[in-house]
Amino acid sequence: MTDLTKLTIAAARTKLRAKEITSTELTEAYLGAIDRANPVINAYVTVTHDKAREMAKASDARLAQGEAGALEGIPLGIKDLFATEGVHTQACSHVLDGFKPRYESTVTANLWADGAVMLGKLNMDEFAMGSSNETSYYGPVINPWRRSRATTAVTPSPHAGEGGFVSDGEAAREARIVDNAQLVPGGSSGGSAAAVSAFLCAGATATDTGGSIRQPAAFTGTVGIKPTYGRCSRWGTVAFASSLDQAGPIARDVRDAAILLKSMASVDPKDTTSVDRPVPDYEAALGQSIKGMKVGIPKEYRVDGMPEEIEALWRKGIAWLKDAGAEIVDISLPHTKYALPAYYIVAPAEASSNLARYDGVRYGLRVPGKDIVDMYERTRAAGFGREVKRRVMIGTYVLSAGYYDAYYLQAQKVRTLIKRDFEEVFDAGVDVILTPATPSAAFGVADQDMNADPVKMYLNDIFTVTVNMAGLPGIAVPAGLDGNGLPLGLQLIGRPFDEETLFRTAHVVEQAAGRFEPENWWS
């Protein structure tokens, strides 16, 4: 029998409606895969076995009656940032210990209304603050991908012989160690990306504040789209930086991402930043010609020290779109170089404000103190992890008297200039912008260089933060493998609320690049 977990959402939808399989069978296949693999991958922080079976049973009943919703019977994983009624929702933070909301986020409510089945809650960087999924209170998520071969550089080894270098036999042993090194899946939506890549859910919800959908998608060979700010409701989603956060899907391919976003997106009276615009049938855009479309190539994204593999991938993507009939035009986004520093002022400032509510008084962790102020301090000291504390302190500093004008207001002015750069390019007739998704492939868990220098970690977002600062849609598509067999992605950036063009163009890239799957070593 076909491995049901290998079915895309589109393929599973067809089989469910043709009654070739049932949602119960599909759900059991995923639950079995999770039970086998999650102790290794650590993608789920809780698995809702009973709830999944109940939802699958209800879906089968609706399918039998011909009342199927758009996602009827499709098992999904939900990032731990989305409130799920009566189910663990902790943003993977100790400070929210034991919290189970009495309400449902709008995004997940939309999915359940369309018949989707919840498999459980997915691991993530604490409060979505991170680029590697290593800041989670529940430990790091492990990327399902492995290096296919060792790097060829000769380096000193703890097993080195005379002269500090390894012999041929020792080199082989060292190569195996390098090959088997655990890699990060990216963050903050690392659990979502890893679960999709490892066939532990058909698709997953995710959120993107500075690249947290697109970067992990690129690291895991999956497709991730951050829609235009306001396309998906933020109600019931734990806030990191309110003016930047946006929900979106991570999926196996472009079609599945289009199907998921159609269900996730909606206007919401409970979220005044959600936009009242019709949600198009994104799937219908796939397969449409891109002939005559103008694709912009921004010179500012050719950063110093960018690996040749990334540059070569970018050139390949340009060639694919040109072969499909698109017109390639060079463009300039001059304020791009200021995006990352401006982002790391705006985002921590908003985080400092949003996270002030976690004080041990109303819900979650409480550490007793000699008075209420001492209780606040002890609770927050014990409840927040190192990276969250770092960003709260930065944010509090830039919002403080004497520094608000010098830092925060200046960063917001830069943000306006970044947005204007994009507007001028789109007004000049460019339809979509093509860039790399990340500056490298996935790096190792507990990478010493990354963990010793937070700035190096923050640089993973160098190609993605501009999209959030300008409120634009962006999609990451798998486009190739690096020299070690790890996935690399390309990013497409579109006009506001023109996700259809992104899906249409991304599908062309996907068809040219082919599909990429990791070799199963985890179950």
Side-chain angles (χ1 to χ4, degrees):
M1 184 178 178
T2 303
D3 183 351
L4 297 182
T5 66
K6 293 292 183 75
L7 294 173
T8 63
I9 290 173
R13 178 183 62 184
T14 299
K15 287 183 176 293
L16 285 164
R17 291 179 179 179
K19 298 182 175 54
E20 295 176 19
I21 61 172
T22 66
S23 178
T24 297
E25 291 170 340
L26 187 60
T27 300
E28 288 296 345
Y30 277 111
L31 291 174
I34 293 167
D35 290 343
R36 290 189 299 273
N38 202 57
V40 180
I41 301 290
N42 197 32
Y44 284 85
V45 293
T46 190
V47 183
T48 52
H49 294 86
D50 292 342
K51 189 174 186 68
R53 288 171 177 134
E54 289 172 8
M55 295 175 81
K57 185 178 179 181
S59 280
D60 284 334
R62 287 191 292 270
L63 284 161
Q65 294 165 9
E67 300 173 354
L71 286 169
E72 199 67 65
I74 302 294
L76 303 177
I78 305 299
K79 186 175 179 178
D80 197 33
L81 212 61
F82 293 88
T84 42
E85 185 177 3
V87 177
H88 172 118
T89 302
Q90 293 178 202
C92 286
S93 178
H94 186 34
V95 82
L96 275 169
D97 264 8
F99 180 60
K100 295 181 179 180
R102 298 177 183 177
Y103 53 89
E104 192 79 30
S105 78
T106 298
V107 163
T108 52
N110 289 346
L111 294 173
W112 311 148
D114 275 352
V117 172
M118 181 169 67
L119 293 168
K121 301 301 285 290
L122 293 163
N123 206 343
M124 54 176 281
D125 280 306
E126 183 184 7
F127 282 105
M129 298 182 194
S131 300
S132 63
N133 216 143
E134 294 176 282
T135 72
S136 169
Y137 179 65
Y138 299 96
V141 176
I142 306 303
N143 194 324
W145 287 80
R146 285 285 185 268
R147 294 184 178 97
S148 61
R149 61 179 177 82
T151 55
T152 56
V154 179
T155 54
S157 162
H159 307 293
E162 186 178 352
F165 298 101
V166 296
S167 67
D168 290 343
E170 290 162 341
R173 287 193 291 275
E174 290 299 313
R176 284 196 295 273
I177 291 170
V178 172
D179 285 353
N180 294 326
Q182 293 180 335
L183 303 175
V184 303
S188 66
S189 305
S192 300
V196 172
S197 182
F199 306 101
L200 305 185
C201 59
T205 65
T207 61
D208 193 311
T209 306
S212 290
I213 289 174
R214 291 158 289 152
Q215 186 247 22
F219 276 8
T220 58
T222 55
V223 175
I225 182 167
K226 172 220 150 338
T228 309
Y229 184 80
R231 177 56 90 183
C232 293
S233 170
R234 292 184 300 107
W235 194 85
T237 308
V238 180
F240 164 14
S242 300
S243 73
L244 299 164
D245 298 343
Q246 187 60 196
I250 292 179
R252 306 256 178 86
D253 61 19
V254 174
R255 185 175 299 277
D256 282 4
I259 293 168
L260 284 172
L261 183 58
K262 177 74 167 78
S263 287
M264 292 172 66
S266 69
V267 67
D268 183 3
K270 297 190 291 293
D271 175 11
T272 56
T273 65
S274 74
V275 177
D276 189 5
R277 295 178 63 132
V279 179
D281 181 359
Y282 298 120
E283 192 180 359
L286 274 58
Q288 294 180 10
S289 172
I290 64 166
K291 188 174 182 179
M293 184 184 293
K294 283 190 177 181
V295 178
I297 309 299
K299 63 181 183 180
E300 288 80 9
Y301 281 62
R302 287 189 168 89
V303 297
D304 292 339
M306 187 164 74
E308 171 55 28
E309 288 179 319
I310 303 296
E311 181 71 41
L313 186 79
W314 197 4
R315 290 195 298 267
K316 192 180 291 186
I318 291 169
W320 290 333
L321 296 180
K322 189 174 182 180
D323 289 346
E327 179 187 349
I328 308 300
V329 295
D330 291 327
I331 61 171
S332 178
L333 300 167
H335 294 93
T336 294
K337 61 184 176 181
Y338 304 117
L340 203 63
Y343 171 85
Y344 278 102
I345 291 172
V346 173
E350 295 187 14
S352 173
S353 177
N354 280 326
L355 270 61
R357 72 193 71 179
Y358 305 109
D359 52 17
V361 174
R362 287 152 291 189
Y363 44 76
L365 180 72
R366 177 183 293 182
V367 179
K370 61 181 182 289
D371 54 37
I372 192 167
V373 173
D374 190 43
M375 186 269 285
Y376 287 163
E377 292 174 348
R378 289 175 182 271
T379 297
R380 291 169 68 81
F384 291 145
R386 184 177 179 180
E387 183 60 30
V388 172
K389 289 175 184 175
R390 178 186 288 122
R391 299 199 194 192
V392 166
M393 290 176 70
I394 292 170
T396 303
Y397 177 80
V398 302
L399 290 176
S400 61
Y403 297 100
Y404 178 83
D405 291 348
Y407 292 102
Y408 186 72
L409 286 186
Q410 295 303 314
Q412 291 289 23
K413 290 178 182 178
V414 169
R415 184 177 185 177
T416 300
L417 294 173
I418 292 168
K419 186 173 184 289
R420 188 180 303 164
D421 285 348
F422 282 107
E423 288 171 348
E424 290 175 354
V425 165
F426 290 130
D427 288 345
V430 169
D431 297 291
V432 68
I433 297 168
L434 178 70
T435 78
T438 60
S440 70
F443 51 89
V445 172
D447 183 285
Q448 292 184 358
D449 287 342
M450 291 290 186
N451 285 281
D453 185 354
V455 175
K456 286 186 178 179
M457 186 72 79
Y458 298 162
L459 285 171
N460 272 281
D461 300 331
I462 193 167
F463 298 134
T464 54
V465 294
T466 53
V467 174
N468 300 80
M469 295 290 273
L472 300 173
I475 189 170
V477 189
L481 302 175
D482 76 352
N484 290 313
L486 298 178
L488 298 171
L490 289 172
Q491 175 182 228
L492 292 159
I493 303 168
R495 301 170 184 266
F497 299 102
D498 190 16
E499 288 85 2
E500 287 172 288
T501 296
L502 284 188
F503 282 121
R504 177 177 156 199
T505 313
H507 189 250
V508 171
V509 173
E510 180 180 67
Q511 294 298 106
R515 293 282 300 279
F516 305 94
E517 294 180 2
E519 184 179 345
N520 188 332
W521 53 267
W522 55 85
S523 63

